Amino acid sequence: MTTLPQSTAKKLGLVIDLDICVGCHACAVACKEWNTGAYGAPLSDQDAYGAEPSGTWLNRVHSYEVKPKEGPAQIIHFPRSCLHCEDAPCVTVCPTGASYKRAEDGIVLVNEDRCMGCGLCAWACPYGAREMDMDAGVMKKCTLCVDRIYNDNIPEEDRVPSCVRTCPANARHFGDFADPDSAVSRMTAERGGFDLMPDQKTRPVNKYLPPRPKTDATQTAGGCGKPATATPQPGGLLGWLDRALAVID
Amino acid sequence: MHPALSVIVFTTLSGIGFGLMTLLGIGLGAHDLAFRWTAVVLAFAFTVIGLLSSVLHLKSPSRAIFSFSQWRSSWLSREGVLSVLTLGVFGLYSLAFLFMDMRVAGLGIAAAVLALVTVYSTSMIYAQLRTVPHWATWLTSAAFLCFAAAGSLLLLAALLAVFGAAGARQTAQYALVALVVAWAVKALWWRRAARTTLDSAGSGIGQATGLDRIGTVRPFELPHTSPNYLMREMAFQVGRNRARALRRVAVLAGALLPALLVLLALVTGPLAALLVIAVLVHLGGMLAERWLFFAEARHAVSSFYGVQ
């Protein structure tokens, strides 16, 4: 049913820490690896070794340059995947009932046996979270690794989404946002986690943590690229040498 | 947005077809046998070709049957259900109209209302999308309905003239008025679109990434080295010159030439020939208008890629 549940018992999702992400794309690769052999059709590639390779990925890592009003610009790496919105527009537009949001944990999924590949859900999603698989002809999206997080056949530490498990910088966290005491809820509250495009009224579950304020090296060291103005007075042997040279000079 | 031919043909032709069903349903037209058959066949041809064309847009058309199931939430599903309902009711109405020259008023009105609601739900497939600010306005629905009315009135006038039936001149006058109204609505739509950007709709690059809280955002490196589905489908860009040229074609062929031809037909010329040409020219203009409707629309996702 493509009507949304009134509320979900759990709100499973991710926190992505933009302060920590180093833009290594390991999450995107791990996602592709797990999901090509997991839930639903494989994530196909077209012209993979040709001039214009293209394929289905459920996670993409952008890099942006952000220039504050004062001070130097900074580079921020920005992983982008499904936010498992509470008011997911991709679900309600679906004509076939293939798209749905689970009442028990809030995960947004596609039942590929019902998807006719019309692409309207991808049009309805402001975050580019859905990509049509050109081989299977069905819409693919992040499943929050639904086949890992409840999987009793894998070690307990692996029962998190593949992107979270693989992140070498620990920039991705998985948890239940319905629980105010969960790590992800606390992190969001402490660090001012924010929604992407709140004007789209999608109420995303996933939150992004803003980069921490940078100390401005140009202000503390007396100007970019210039040495500190006050020459330090060396002591000890160097100081004696310095004074001796000054006498000769 | 990527201007897919299948969807352009679908919205244009089904609009005119359902418009013609509305006009025939409310009792316009003539008793002439040839007229009746031609009008009914054309109404079905336009709608069915339009609907079949929309199926070409699907990547897995074998599952299209499921699209009738989610009418509670989905405009696309409603459009599908309503299309089939309209074709069915109009089909029943046509049986009496064709074989007994009888107008069953109840069926006709029902078909007319259903056809209009179908065109409205077609427009809502696009107008519902907050992600495409150009489309997200009631003006989109108004334009779809008015163009359906103008195109179908023009077609009806031409048919009446071809078969020498009464009412051709009057219908042509209605068509002229409908053309003016439709293009006035489209002018408003274009004016709004010119002032509506992703930034103004809250989905520019700063709001998309949430990094506007730090400063000015610009893309530094893209996530992939060649275009993907999102870029092909949603970050489609049309050249400024090409868009301007096509807009001229749309206005000239969609509005000015057909209006001139109708006027000429009303004042002097051979009514039938001029009206048929007007219909064909108008159809060409409408395809250009619909191409631009898709190609010029900006999707929120393009912000992530720095495409404005």
Side-chain angles (χ1 to χ4, degrees):
Chain A
M1 205 56 221
T2 55
T3 43
L4 290 163
Q6 288 289 319
S7 66
T8 58
K10 284 182 174 181
K11 290 177 191 173
L12 296 185
L14 304 176
V15 159
I16 294 168
D17 192 340
L18 297 178
D19 193 57
I20 296 179
C21 176
V22 294
C24 69
H25 294 243
C27 55
V29 175
C31 166
K32 176 92 168 173
E33 182 273 332
W34 176 265
N35 284 293
T36 206
Y39 182 96
L43 301 176
S44 72
D45 292 312
Q46 283 73 42
D47 195 22
Y49 303 99
E52 279 238 328
S54 180
T56 319
W57 295 65
L58 311 182
N59 192 4
R60 303 276 192 180
V61 184
H62 295 252
S63 297
Y64 296 103
E65 181 205 76
V66 187
K67 177 83 179 73
K69 266 213 171 66
E70 312 236 323
Q74 46 182 300
I75 299 297
I76 293 167
H77 303 290
F78 188 94
R80 177 174 58 76
S81 58
C82 174
L83 308 174
H84 297 278
C85 304
E86 290 189 57
D87 284 333
C90 56
V91 170
T92 49
V93 299
C94 175
T96 64
S99 281
Y100 62 104
K101 184 172 175 70
R102 307 208 313 177
E104 62 268 37
D105 53 17
I107 299 180
V108 176
L109 287 176
V110 175
N111 175 358
E112 292 176 7
D113 293 335
R114 279 182 83 96
C115 176
M116 63 176 187
C118 70
L120 190 58
C121 54
W123 288 12
C125 172
Y127 309 110
R130 289 172 169 247
E131 296 192 16
M132 184 80 78
D133 191 278
M134 289 305 171
D135 181 51
V138 294
M139 196 54 79
K140 304 295 291 190
K141 69 174 296 299
C142 162
T143 67
L144 215 57
C145 285
V146 70
D147 41 11
R148 286 175 71 99
I149 58 176
Y150 299 116
N151 193 337
D152 293 334
N153 298 317
I154 58 176
E156 199 176 341
E157 64 267 31
D158 286 337
R159 291 177 207 160
V160 291
S162 203
C163 56
V164 174
R165 186 76 181 98
T166 209
C167 179
N170 217 17
R172 305 176 71 98
H173 306 271
F174 165 71
D176 179 12
F177 288 87
D179 172 9
D181 288 326
S182 68
V184 286
S185 294
R186 286 204 311 273
M187 250 182 268
T188 306
E190 283 164 21
R191 293 274 305 281
F194 59 85
D195 291 344
L196 304 186
M197 288 192 263
D199 289 353
Q200 290 282 332
K201 300 187 168 66
T202 51
R203 296 202 295 146
V205 169
N206 284 16
K207 303 290 181 216
Y208 282 77
L209 302 185
R212 292 184 173 90
K214 292 260 195 274
T215 47
D216 188 349
T218 61
Q219 296 307 308
T220 51
C224 186
K226 282 179 279 177
T229 42
T231 319
Q233 290 296 318
L237 181 65
L238 275 178
W240 173 82
L241 206 79
D242 194 46
R243 284 191 299 277
L245 284 171
V247 170
I248 299 167
D249 185 46
Chain B
M1 303 294 288
H2 172 65
L5 186 65
S6 54
V7 184
I8 293 170
V9 169
F10 156 59
T11 56
T12 315
L13 294 194
S14 73
I16 295 175
F18 284 123
L20 190 56
M21 288 184 181
T22 305
L23 299 178
L24 294 172
I26 59 172
L28 293 184
H31 288 288
D32 183 271
L33 184 70
F35 165 83
R36 280 184 279 148
W37 275 96
T38 317
V40 167
V41 166
L42 274 181
F44 272 109
F46 271 94
T47 44
V48 171
I49 291 172
L51 292 168
L52 287 179
S53 169
S54 77
V55 175
L56 292 178
H57 190 243
L58 307 178
K59 294 287 182 294
S60 303
S62 62
R63 304 198 187 102
I65 189 76
F66 294 126
S67 66
F68 297 113
S69 64
Q70 304 301 311
W71 48 270
R72 285 183 199 84
S73 72
S74 163
W75 279 108
L76 181 50
S77 181
R78 283 170 202 161
E79 196 273 339
V81 172
L82 285 162
S83 296
V84 172
L85 265 177
T86 310
L87 290 182
V89 174
F90 184 76
L92 288 177
Y93 174 75
S94 301
L95 286 180
F97 183 45
L98 291 179
F99 295 107
M100 292 176 276
D101 191 13
M102 211 172 78
R103 303 261 198 173
V104 185
L107 279 177
I109 299 293
V113 171
L114 279 170
L116 285 180
V117 181
T118 307
V119 175
Y120 176 73
S121 55
T122 306
S123 75
M124 283 308 289
I125 297 171
Y126 309 101
Q128 70 177 331
L129 297 174
R130 221 175 258 143
T131 46
V132 187
H134 278 190
W135 294 351
T137 164
W138 63 271
L139 284 169
T140 299
S141 301
F144 270 58
L145 283 164
C146 290
F147 277 132
S152 55
L153 276 166
L154 204 55
L155 179 60
L156 183 67
L159 286 176
L160 288 169
V162 166
F163 294 104
R169 296 185 66 83
Q170 201 181 12
T171 313
Q173 287 164 5
Y174 292 154
L176 200 59
V177 175
L179 264 179
V180 172
V181 172
W183 280 97
V185 171
K186 187 66 198 186
L188 281 176
W189 191 94
W190 269 337
R191 204 168 73 118
R192 179 189 170 276
R195 288 183 300 202
T196 308
T197 62
L198 289 173
D199 276 315
S200 73
S203 42
I205 187 168
Q207 299 121 318
T209 57
L211 296 175
D212 54 350
R213 67 198 67 225
I214 299 173
T216 319
V217 187
R218 73 186 185 96
F220 182 71
E221 194 172 33
L222 293 187
H224 36 89
T225 49
S226 59
N228 66 345
Y229 168 75
L230 297 177
M231 294 180 77
R232 286 190 299 268
E233 187 77 4
M234 258 90 74
F236 182 89
Q237 278 182 300
V238 54
R240 200 183 292 265
N241 290 337
R242 195 171 178 202
R244 199 183 304 137
L246 261 167
R247 194 174 282 206
R248 286 195 193 120
V249 169
V251 172
L252 198 71
L256 299 180
L257 278 177
L260 204 71
L261 287 165
V262 172
L263 276 177
L264 209 66
L266 286 171
V267 177
T268 55
L271 203 59
L274 285 175
L275 287 179
V276 168
I277 297 171
V279 168
L280 294 175
V281 173
H282 174 73
L283 193 58
M286 288 316 298
L287 292 174
E289 184 271 341
R290 220 35 69 86
W291 193 91
L292 284 171
F293 175 76
F294 288 97
E296 288 193 304
R298 293 273 163 271
H299 191 285
V301 163
S302 47
S303 287
F304 287 106
Y305 288 92
V307 177
Q308 282 297 302

